[in-house]
Structure formats: C-alpha cells, structure tokens
Amino acid sequence: DIVMTQSPLSLPVTPGEPASMSCRSSQSLLHTNGNNYLDWYLQKPGQSPQLLIFLGSTRASGVPDRFSGSGSGTDFTLKISRVEAEDVGVYYCMQSIQIPQTFGQGTKLEIK
Amino acid sequence: EVQLVESGGGLVQPGGSLRLSCAASGFSFSTHWMHWVRQAPGKGLEWVSRINIDGGSPTYADSVKGRFTISRDNAKNMLYLQMNSLRVEDTAVYSCARGVLRAGGSCEIWGQGTLVTVSS
C-alpha cells in the first residue's frame, strides 16, 4: 500500500498570514497520463470532509483561490495565501493512483 | 440540491452484519463513481471501498476485503455497503462520497455519515 506522510501534524497560524503543509507518498503519484492522483481535503470541526484540491493542483468547485496545491511525483504542498478563522480544521491528503486509496494522518491547523 | 444521505448504522455484536444505504439526489447518480469512507472515533479518515458507474470493478481496503461488499442501484439512485463478520475495529462513522467526473477517485461530495458501533 502507498503510505502518505503529512507534516507538520500541528500548524498554528496567525490570521492573515500564509500557511503551508506537506504531503509525501511512498510511491510516485504521477500517472503516465500526466496527472498526479493526489487530493487535499479539509475537515472542519464537527463536519464532513470537503474536497479542496484534486489531481494535485485543481481547485474544487467553490474553493477560494487562497488555497493552492502544487507538487509532483512523491512531494506535494498545500498553501493558504492568507489564513482566515474559517480555515481551522484537519487537512488530509489522499492518493487515488493505486488501490487501496490511502489518506495521510492529517495536519491540524489552528489559529494563534 | 446535491445530497447524499446515509442510513442503516447502529449497534451490532462482533460477528454480526449490517447493510448501509446511501440515497443520492440532485445529480445524475449513474455517471459518477461512488465511495465509502470511514472514520473511527477520534481518528483520521480511512478509505473503505469504491465502485464505478455500472457497478463493475468494485475495490476495497485490505482491512475489509472479503467481508464488505459495495453495490449500487442506478435506477433507484442508491449506494450500498453490505458489512459481514463485523469486528470491534470496524466501529466508525461511515460516509458515502461522490467521485469527481474527470477524476473518479477524488471524493467531491460527502454525506453526513452513519455511525456503526460493533460491541458486545
């Protein structure tokens, strides 16, 4: 199985400041079709997860443009240009290039 | 409004069975891959299973393979998860999710989940 490793596990951020988190996979997520099969999800407290980014860098419908995804192969990054209070929660990456699909352990973003 | 509503959760003894259902509405159900994802209390997300648009090629996490069966009824806009030989470690909130049209492995719409508790 592909192991997904996220860092940091906890990320305290001041509102208005940028934030960045990492996701690394034990195998390449780059398909021969050129797509990286890597998603980013946010689970706000008490809510179901919501898709932020798919195929490594494509923002899902309705996701603010302050969220951006980058990376290829085994190293990926989610960046928030200016953190807002509503961005608190746990961020998960997930790979879907290989079965079973696997999630990272999550990065918890909190407001300072 | 696009909506996924799970049902069928509850308390079951180890070794027992449950069938979860997911009612889809507000979109063309038959054109999307569908997934089950679970979250044990206080833990992270675990992908469980997915099924393609015509019900073929179901896939499973190793932890449930041979015990769980995913299926769908496109005429009724319904997704199912038959869970047999349940174990204490299967205790979790189970959510169904809709795959992205151009990237079926990505889960773009999620239900609120149904709690399954396996305990004697």
Side-chain angles (χ1 to χ4, degrees), chain B:
Chain B
E1 178 191 6
V2 175
Q3 200 171 13
L4 296 171
V5 179
E6 303 91 340
S7 60
L11 175 63
V12 62
Q13 292 187 338
S17 297
L18 274 180
R19 189 196 197 202
L20 305 184
S21 299
C22 169
S25 59
F27 66 97
S28 180
F29 178 74
S30 63
T31 61
H32 291 265
W33 290 13
M34 295 296 295
H35 301 256
W36 288 100
V37 177
R38 69 184 181 183
Q39 188 168 33
K43 302 297 184 182
L45 300 172
E46 181 185 14
W47 178 84
V48 173
S49 181
R50 83 182 189 201
I51 190 167
N52 67 5
I53 59 175
D54 62 7
S57 304
T59 53
Y60 302 92
D62 294 342
S63 57
V64 307
K65 197 178 300 182
R67 301 187 298 122
F68 290 12
T69 302
I70 190 172
S71 62
R72 65 190 297 163
D73 185 335
N74 287 340
K76 295 181 178 179
N77 292 342
M78 294 292 295
L79 176 72
Y80 304 102
L81 187 68
Q82 178 66 43
M83 304 187 297
N84 298 330
S85 303
L86 282 162
R87 305 167 180 168
V88 171
E89 55 265 34
D90 294 320
T91 295
V93 172
Y94 286 73
S95 298
C96 60
R98 184 184 89 175
V100 174
L101 268 179
R102 55 181 277 217
S106 303
C107 301
E108 65 176 346
I109 303 293
W110 296 64
Q112 286 303 304
T114 186
L115 177 62
V116 172
T117 303
V118 185
S119 174
S120 55

Side-chain angles (χ1 to χ4, degrees), chain A residues 42-50 85-91 108-110, chain B residues 39 112:
Chain A
L42 165 59
Q43 186 173 32
K44 296 181 180 181
Q47 296 186 18
S48 296
Q50 59 184 97
E86 65 181 25
D87 299 335
V88 298
V90 181
Y91 291 76
K108 185 174 185 178
L109 187 147
E110 58 184 25
Chain B
Q39 188 168 33
Q112 286 303 304

Side-chain angles (χ1 to χ4, degrees), chain A residues 79-90:
Chain A
K79 293 182 179 178
I80 309 173
S81 59
R82 295 173 307 278
V83 171
E84 298 185 3
E86 65 181 25
D87 299 335
V88 298
V90 181

Side-chain angles (χ1 to χ4, degrees), chain A residues 26-111:
Chain A
S26 61
Q27 299 176 41
S28 177
L29 305 185
L30 179 60
H31 194 277
T32 53
N33 63 15
N35 289 323
N36 283 284
Y37 285 85
L38 186 282
D39 303 334
W40 289 97
Y41 298 87
L42 165 59
Q43 186 173 32
K44 296 181 180 181
Q47 296 186 18
S48 296
Q50 59 184 97
L51 178 65
L52 297 175
I53 303 286
F54 64 98
L55 297 180
S57 61
T58 302
R59 266 191 306 277
S61 177
V63 174
D65 60 8
R66 64 178 184 275
F67 291 92
S68 64
S70 63
S72 184
T74 61
D75 289 337
F76 298 87
T77 301
L78 177 70
K79 293 182 179 178
I80 309 173
S81 59
R82 295 173 307 278
V83 171
E84 298 185 3
E86 65 181 25
D87 299 335
V88 298
V90 181
Y91 291 76
Y92 295 94
C93 60
M94 183 191 76
Q95 66 80 19
S96 59
I97 197 171
Q98 184 184 103
I99 296 299
Q101 299 186 204
T102 47
F103 286 92
Q105 71 271 54
T107 290
K108 185 174 185 178
L109 187 147
E110 58 184 25
I111 298 296

